[in-house]
Amino acid sequence: MHSPSPLKTSNGPTGRKTAPLLGLLAVLVILGTGFLFSWHSLGDLDVWFHLKAGRELMDGQGIPRTNTYSFTEPDHPWVNHEWLFQVLAVVTGPSETVSGRTFGVGGWNALRTFLVMVLLAVVLAGDRLHHRLLGREGPAWAAWAGLPVLVGLLLMWTRLTLRPELFSYLFLVLLVRDLDRFFRGPAFQTKKTGPRLMLFLDPRAPAGRIILTTLLWAQFHGFAALAPVLTLFAWILALLRPVTGGPALDARGRWGFVLVLMTTAALVLTPNGFRGLLMPLRAVTQFQQSQVDLRTTVAELAPLQESPDSLHLTIRMYRAALAGGLLWILATLGRISPLRILVF
């Protein structure tokens, strides 16, 4: 027999009062903070490089194979992972009219703020967070559910610049969420002959969204190489679930490796082809040599020499975030998936 559902009242389930006004205030504070943190002066120089590369791309010069922008190594092999971001940089960036009048960077500011607000909306809409913020699970949740989001905004403030990483933040959230749904959600949809392969191509299913997310991510940023790695980790953790006393994995255990292969294949579906797939491996190994030639690398270390205090502050905030995250995991033990703990 099924247990009866809790009686519904205007205040939600019996014995639990909702707090819609408090939840609305929490949502407004989060969105307002995200807007203010994202609408700031243009302090990142990389966007001008992306503008230059994007203009050459849209002028018909195609995807470059060498780095022609570096005076130290002008013919260094280069894989342009951010080509679609560069197209957006051109479309929304400064341009000239017939009279030669140059527009400002308002389009870039609007694009950056739009991406940050979309990222916040995706975070707030998932994992029942919006139910808690709207007070549907009690006033305490309405007051506390938004705290990690605000802390995350504070830690990310200096990185909320117009860079391809903004797309990586968004795609990473979507990917981890759908990996959890695929390996930890309801039973895999099956027929008598086993799972339907078409589910991996259906964007309405978690597996299809994982492939689509990887494919789109690969057009914006090289960090898309994380997709098959995280998929592999999620599959291994799901296979190990019975060892820790959890339920045995259903047909997804046999098809997890297929999902790993398909996310890897999605990385090849870019203008860079197989060169783009191998580039992350080269990037990882470029600093493993005993003698590193900085002329052949794209380094972002120069600004740190001019603002060492910023680096010290960043390290202190990073350590505080680690400690706070560990406390949060312990306080909510069993509610956070092993994959998210591993990513953390």
Side-chain angles (χ1 to χ4, degrees):
M1 296 180 61
H2 297 284
S3 58
S5 302
L7 296 177
K8 302 290 184 179
T9 67
S10 58
N11 289 330
T14 303
R16 177 178 291 174
K17 295 182 179 181
T18 60
L21 293 180
L22 184 59
L24 179 61
L25 178 61
V27 171
L28 291 178
V29 169
I30 292 173
L31 294 180
T33 303
F35 179 84
L36 293 176
F37 279 9
S38 62
W39 191 272
H40 51 72
S41 61
L42 191 68
D44 190 88
L45 300 180
D46 276 7
V47 69
W48 299 103
F49 154 74
H50 289 299
L51 177 65
K52 173 66 174 177
R55 284 177 174 172
E56 293 185 355
L57 174 63
M58 298 187 71
D59 286 342
Q61 299 185 31
I63 302 294
R65 301 298 183 184
T66 57
N67 179 10
T68 59
Y69 308 111
S70 174
F71 70 93
T72 58
E73 193 78 9
D75 297 322
H76 185 66
W78 177 46
V79 176
N80 187 0
H81 284 289
E82 296 86 7
W83 72 273
L84 194 51
F85 172 80
Q86 291 162 0
V87 172
L88 283 179
V90 174
V91 172
T92 60
S95 59
E96 293 185 355
T97 62
V98 177
S99 60
R101 178 175 175 269
T102 302
F103 289 98
V105 295
W108 279 347
N109 291 333
L111 176 61
R112 179 181 59 240
T113 298
F114 173 75
L115 292 174
V116 173
M117 299 307 285
V118 169
L119 175 62
L120 284 176
V122 169
V123 171
L124 294 178
D127 303 323
R128 297 184 58 82
L129 183 58
H130 60 295
H131 288 278
R132 296 165 186 157
L133 285 172
L134 292 177
R136 295 175 184 172
E137 298 188 13
W141 270 114
W144 286 101
L147 182 61
V149 183
L150 285 176
V151 173
L153 280 173
L154 291 172
L155 292 173
M156 292 176 61
W157 177 45
T158 57
R159 304 305 297 171
L160 297 181
T161 56
L162 191 58
R163 298 170 61 98
E165 283 86 342
L166 274 181
F167 285 94
S168 284
Y169 302 153
L170 175 62
F171 289 131
L172 179 63
V173 172
L174 294 174
L175 179 70
V176 172
R177 188 171 292 164
D178 278 324
L179 284 173
D180 270 344
R181 288 170 178 165
F182 179 80
F183 287 107
R184 292 169 56 88
F188 194 60
Q189 300 181 32
T190 62
K191 290 183 177 180
K192 292 181 179 180
T193 56
R196 293 178 296 172
L197 185 60
M198 290 304 297
L199 286 177
F200 291 89
L201 304 177
D202 187 354
R204 296 171 298 178
R209 289 196 299 270
I210 290 170
I211 304 300
L212 181 60
T213 297
T214 304
L215 178 62
L216 292 175
W217 193 355
Q219 316 307 316
F220 284 97
H221 199 211
F223 280 5
L226 290 173
V229 177
L230 292 178
T231 305
L232 176 63
F233 287 162
W235 178 49
I236 294 175
L237 290 172
L239 292 176
L240 293 177
R241 194 185 309 164
V243 179
T244 59
L249 193 63
D250 53 18
R252 288 168 288 190
R254 298 192 299 271
W255 285 82
F257 185 65
V258 175
L259 189 60
V260 175
L261 292 179
M262 294 187 72
T263 51
T264 305
L267 298 179
V268 183
L269 300 179
T270 73
N272 300 297
F274 282 99
R275 293 177 69 250
L277 180 62
L278 297 176
M279 182 59 185
L281 299 178
R282 293 181 55 192
V284 170
T285 59
Q286 68 178 348
F287 290 110
Q288 302 301 317
Q289 309 168 20
S290 58
Q291 297 294 329
V292 178
D293 186 359
L294 293 179
R295 294 175 301 174
T296 63
T297 63
V298 179
E300 300 179 356
L301 303 179
L304 298 180
Q305 298 177 354
E306 300 178 0
S307 55
D309 290 339
S310 298
L311 179 59
H312 296 158
L313 178 61
T314 301
I315 293 176
R316 286 195 292 266
M317 293 178 64
Y318 173 71
R319 290 173 176 172
L322 283 180
L326 289 174
L327 290 176
W328 187 272
I329 291 173
L330 292 176
T332 58
L333 194 61
R335 299 182 60 178
I336 301 178
S337 72
L339 175 63
R340 301 190 188 200
I341 295 176
L342 181 64
V343 171
F344 169 78

